[in-house]
């Protein structure tokens, strides 16, 4: 059986060598960390940037100033965007003496009024006739 062993031994040796090689390849693979499929997404940007006023849309309808009451935060600047949509009431402006506001509201034209509430509590604004028609901010 020398012929057989002469053939088999080299084959075995080759097979062993192959096994060792593949094992070495397996071990020598660089242990690189898995690549992230995409770079980390930047944190979602907030609609309101720091230092920018909070925007509050108010309508002036036949029911008055809407919505009301609106809760505000003390020290947080707000930008009111008022749109008067009716000509059937006397609420043709917004008056808020505490913050020096007395602004005409042309029909169907958004008007911006900005202020920063400095005191907590109820804040009543309204029309120019003693706030016959009025709305309320609750400052917290
Ligand atoms: Cu009035």
């Amino acid at each position: 059986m020398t012929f057989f062993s002469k053939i088999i031994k080299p084959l075995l040796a080759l097979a062993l060598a192959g096994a060792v090689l593949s094992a070495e390849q397996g071990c020598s693979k660089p242990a690189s960390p898995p690549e992230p499929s995409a770079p980390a997404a930047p944190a979602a940007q907030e609609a309101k940037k720091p230092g920018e006023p909070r925007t509050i849309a108010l309508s002036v309808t036949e029911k008055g100033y809407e919505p009301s009451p609106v809760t505000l935060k003390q020290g947080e600047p707000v930008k009111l965007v008022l749109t008067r949509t009716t000509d059937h009431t006397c609420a043709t402006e917004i008056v808020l003496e505490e913050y020096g506001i007395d602004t005409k509201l042309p029909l169907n034209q958004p008007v911006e009024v900005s202020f920063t509430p400095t005191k907590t509590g109820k804040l009543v604004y309204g029309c120019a006739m003693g706030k016959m028609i009025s709305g309320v901010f609750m400052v917290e």
Side-chain angles (χ1 to χ4, degrees):
M1 289 306 215
T2 41
F3 174 78
F4 181 76
S5 59
K6 265 186 187 164
I7 292 298
I8 274 305
K9 273 184 184 165
L11 279 177
L12 276 172
L14 275 174
L16 278 171
V20 167
L21 271 176
S22 60
E24 270 179 3
Q25 266 180 349
C27 286
S28 65
K29 261 189 184 169
S32 60
E35 295 269 334
S37 52
Q45 292 207 330
E46 284 184 28
K48 178 183 169 301
K49 292 174 195 158
E52 274 193 9
R54 174 183 156 207
T55 300
I56 298 167
L58 292 175
S59 306
V60 188
T61 72
E62 295 191 15
K63 293 177 196 160
Y65 299 85
E66 293 185 304
S68 175
V70 171
T71 301
L72 307 181
K73 271 193 206 135
Q74 182 183 24
E76 182 189 61
V78 290
K79 181 170 82 181
L80 311 176
V81 181
L82 295 118
T83 311
R84 177 165 68 93
T85 59
T86 179
D87 228 356
H88 297 132
T89 77
C90 60
T92 55
E93 54 201 279
I94 178 170
V95 175
L96 181 57
E97 306 91 339
E98 288 91 333
Y99 295 94
I101 293 165
D102 184 348
T103 305
K104 294 246 180 252
L105 304 174
L107 190 64
N108 295 322
Q109 268 181 53
V111 174
E112 293 183 4
V113 174
S114 297
F115 72 102
T116 303
T118 54
K119 278 189 290 186
T120 57
K122 191 175 174 184
L123 202 51
V124 180
Y125 60 91
C127 74
M129 280 156 292
K131 297 176 185 168
M132 245 166 53
I133 294 175
S134 65
V136 171
F137 294 127
M138 295 303 301
V139 185
E140 292 180 340

